[in-house]
Amino acid sequence: SISKEKRRDRIQTNMLYIVGLGLGDETDVTVKGKEAIEKCDKIFLEAYTSILGVGKERLEAYYGKEVVVADRELVESGCDVILEPAKTQSVAFLVVGDPFGATTHMDLFLRAKQLGIEVKVVHNASVMNAIGSCGLQLYSFGPAVSICFFEDTWRPDSFYEKIAVNKKNGHHTLCLLDIKVKEVSLSNMMKGKMIYEPPRFMTINQCIEQLLEVEDKRQENVYGRDTPCIGLARLGHEDQKIASGTMAELLEEDFGGPLHCFIVPGNMHFIEQECFDYFKIKKN
């Protein structure tokens, strides 16, 4: 077996490490990921495409190093803060879940490569594979969809066609629910005021309300209040919750704190149906 010292020797210096943290807490990082982090001079935590079950203070205690929270603006607009040091030092960019669960992180990868910076990626579990814990087979999922918070003047419904196509093909649909972290309202933006709104995390209940609103408007019978669905909350955490039932039933269920996701099943194999029945909401 390879000793810890030899594994450390394999970790290069002067590069960018993009490290997946998994879904739960600070201990979900892989051995390879933790060793890479411990070798780095600067550590950034991406904090806008997802959230970990613990704060950065727990991460700092676990790694024994300072962690800088990187918001969307820093990563997408001012990523030089991350890339410039990586030309001469080892820098870690920490991502909740798997590094390439969001296209933003591939953009960072490409920018680093264009600057001649070596990049090493350490993968981990993400919502895209953890949803298998509900019993639906991963290979039976079609394209995932994003459900954005509806606003007074913006109510996007492009997800509707994608769910329809998945249903037609017998595929399940994973709905990824909106996260608003360090966002500026449109009115404040128009006034030039950089006042950040409180964080918002879409719940399964809000997701169902929006899905039903679009069905009521489109009336193409893609789904309805009697459609069997699955709600999943805090995947990978000790208190994760999975519940199945109709949309109407799940609409009334309390799933607790974030993060939530939602599944509209397609055709279910008999084993998948058994799992669906196992997670059914217990009625009084």
Side-chain angles (χ1 to χ4, degrees):
S1 61
I2 301 174
S3 68
K4 187 173 182 179
E5 288 71 28
K6 287 183 178 178
R7 285 201 304 270
R8 286 185 182 278
D9 289 341
R10 295 186 312 183
I11 299 175
Q12 302 177 42
T13 58
N14 307 331
M15 65 158 50
L16 174 65
Y17 293 94
I18 305 179
V19 181
L21 297 182
L23 297 169
D25 58 29
E26 71 274 25
T27 63
D28 279 1
V29 69
T30 64
V31 173
K32 186 183 291 184
K34 187 169 187 287
E35 289 177 354
I37 294 166
E38 289 172 346
K39 293 281 285 185
C40 287
D41 303 290
K42 291 183 180 295
I43 303 169
F44 295 90
L45 171 65
E46 186 266 275
Y48 61 91
T49 62
S50 188
I51 57 169
L52 203 60
V54 295
K56 83 179 186 79
E57 295 78 15
R58 285 269 292 272
L59 297 180
E60 289 174 331
Y62 192 61
Y63 307 139
K65 299 208 171 193
E66 180 186 3
V67 175
V68 177
V69 175
D71 58 23
R72 185 185 296 273
E73 184 178 357
L74 186 149
V75 177
E76 296 184 349
S77 303
C79 66
D80 288 347
V81 176
I82 298 170
L83 297 178
E84 193 61 34
K87 295 177 181 178
T88 56
Q89 300 174 303
S90 289
V91 175
F93 183 70
L94 312 183
V95 180
V96 178
D98 185 79
F100 294 144
T103 53
T104 292
H105 309 135
M106 179 54 77
D107 181 65
L108 183 67
F109 174 92
L110 292 173
R111 290 195 198 190
K113 286 293 190 180
Q114 290 163 2
L115 292 171
I117 298 170
E118 287 296 315
V119 183
K120 187 165 187 176
V121 178
V122 184
H123 293 283
N124 209 319
S126 78
V127 66
M128 303 302 287
N129 52 33
I131 54 172
S133 58
C134 75
L136 299 185
Q137 300 301 302
L138 295 180
Y139 56 76
S140 295
F141 278 81
V145 300
S146 296
I147 311 296
C148 300
F149 278 114
F150 282 178
E151 307 292 345
D152 291 340
T153 57
W154 188 64
R155 306 177 90 74
D157 61 2
S158 60
F159 58 80
Y160 189 78
E161 288 86 358
K162 293 178 182 177
I163 296 175
V165 171
N166 282 344
K167 293 272 283 186
K168 181 179 179 181
N169 294 330
H171 295 157
H172 314 312
T173 303
L174 169 64
C175 302
L176 300 170
L177 310 191
D178 204 1
I179 297 173
K180 297 288 188 186
V181 178
K182 206 174 180 182
E183 298 272 345
V184 180
S185 69
L186 180 61
S187 59
N188 280 328
M189 195 179 297
M190 293 176 67
K191 296 173 185 175
K193 297 180 178 179
M194 296 303 291
I195 301 174
Y196 298 113
E197 299 290 303
R200 287 194 295 158
F201 306 98
M202 182 179 288
T203 65
I204 289 163
N205 317 81
Q206 291 169 315
C207 167
I208 294 173
E209 287 175 352
Q210 294 191 180
L211 262 61
L212 291 175
E213 177 183 320
V214 173
E215 176 60 59
D216 289 342
K217 181 178 72 173
R218 303 281 289 267
Q219 296 188 359
E220 296 174 27
N221 297 317
V222 173
Y223 50 76
R225 295 179 64 83
D226 294 329
T227 299
C229 293
I230 304 173
L232 306 95
R234 299 173 304 286
L235 278 176
H237 296 213
E238 291 294 326
D239 65 342
Q240 76 172 25
K241 176 171 180 173
I242 301 173
S244 63
T246 65
M247 279 197 180
E249 290 170 337
L250 297 183
L251 183 60
E252 304 301 322
E253 185 71 7
D254 181 3
F255 284 89
L259 294 173
H260 295 185
C261 61
F262 187 67
I263 297 173
V264 182
N267 299 336
M268 286 189 276
H269 180 270
F270 72 93
I271 295 294
E272 292 179 307
Q273 185 64 56
E274 284 186 22
C275 293
F276 182 90
D277 293 341
Y278 173 78
F279 288 112
K280 269 188 179 177
I281 293 172
K282 305 297 187 291
K283 297 181 180 178
N284 294 329

